[in-house]
């Protein structure tokens, strides 16, 4: 999967599109094919180095918290493959600037049919 990886923080933050392995899920989690993400003020702070991700110091940091997409794998009793969903990952954890993301099922809701991704 492709992801926008934050390689450098500061005055001129650097993102690079990288090919990464698909993430794996645990019990109570979903793997989402991400169709849309947003940019939030906390993302700007992380890029500037003024806020720290939980994965600080780990290479291939993927920021972003809001997402909308489709469940492609589920280990949840609440959602099944094919469900269209939206939700939010903790901004401190990040991960929404990627084609696929892992999220706990309590942070997701079904996408109403009258809303686009």
């Amino acid at each position: 999967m492709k992801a926008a990886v934050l390689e450098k923080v500061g005055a001129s933050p650097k993102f690079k599109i990288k090919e990464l392995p698909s993430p794996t899920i645990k019990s109570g989690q979903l793997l989402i094919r991400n169709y849309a993400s947003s940019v939030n003020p906390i993302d700007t702070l992380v890029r500037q180095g003024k806020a720290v991700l939980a994965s600080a110091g780990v290479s291939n940091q993927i920021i972003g918290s809001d997402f909308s997409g489709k469940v492609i794998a589920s280990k949840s009793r609440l959602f099944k493959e094919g469900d269209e969903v939206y939700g939010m990952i903790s901004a401190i954890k990040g991960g929404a600037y990627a084609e696929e993301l892992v999220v706990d099922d309590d942070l997701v809701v079904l996408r109403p049919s009258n809303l686009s991704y």
Side-chain angles (χ1 to χ4, degrees):
M1 67 133 188
K2 289 184 173 83
V5 176
L6 183 63
E7 292 189 321
K8 178 183 172 187
V9 298
S12 59
K14 301 291 181 189
F15 280 100
K16 187 170 187 177
I17 303 299
K18 289 190 173 183
E19 188 69 37
L20 300 174
S22 289
T24 57
I25 59 175
K26 300 176 189 171
S27 179
Q29 293 184 325
L30 306 168
L31 181 61
I32 307 291
R33 167 71 62 192
N34 193 14
Y35 293 152
S37 300
S38 67
V39 179
N40 293 299
I42 188 69
D43 301 328
T44 302
L45 294 174
V46 170
R47 289 192 317 266
Q48 293 171 347
K50 296 178 181 175
V52 180
L53 290 175
S55 61
V58 177
S59 62
N60 297 328
Q61 291 185 34
I62 305 167
I63 65 175
S65 57
D66 301 328
F67 65 89
S68 179
K70 188 178 282 191
V71 176
I72 56 176
S74 175
K75 289 191 177 178
S76 165
R77 60 180 181 76
L78 304 174
F79 298 93
K80 64 185 181 318
E81 289 181 27
D83 282 346
E84 297 177 339
V85 297
Y86 69 100
M88 185 180 113
I89 304 170
S90 162
I92 300 303
K93 182 179 176 189
Y97 290 4
E99 289 180 320
E100 297 175 0
L101 56 106
V102 172
V103 64
D104 294 338
D105 64 6
D106 63 342
L107 300 174
V108 177
V109 297
L110 292 172
R111 182 183 64 84
S113 60
N114 64 335
L115 293 179
S116 70
Y117 287 107

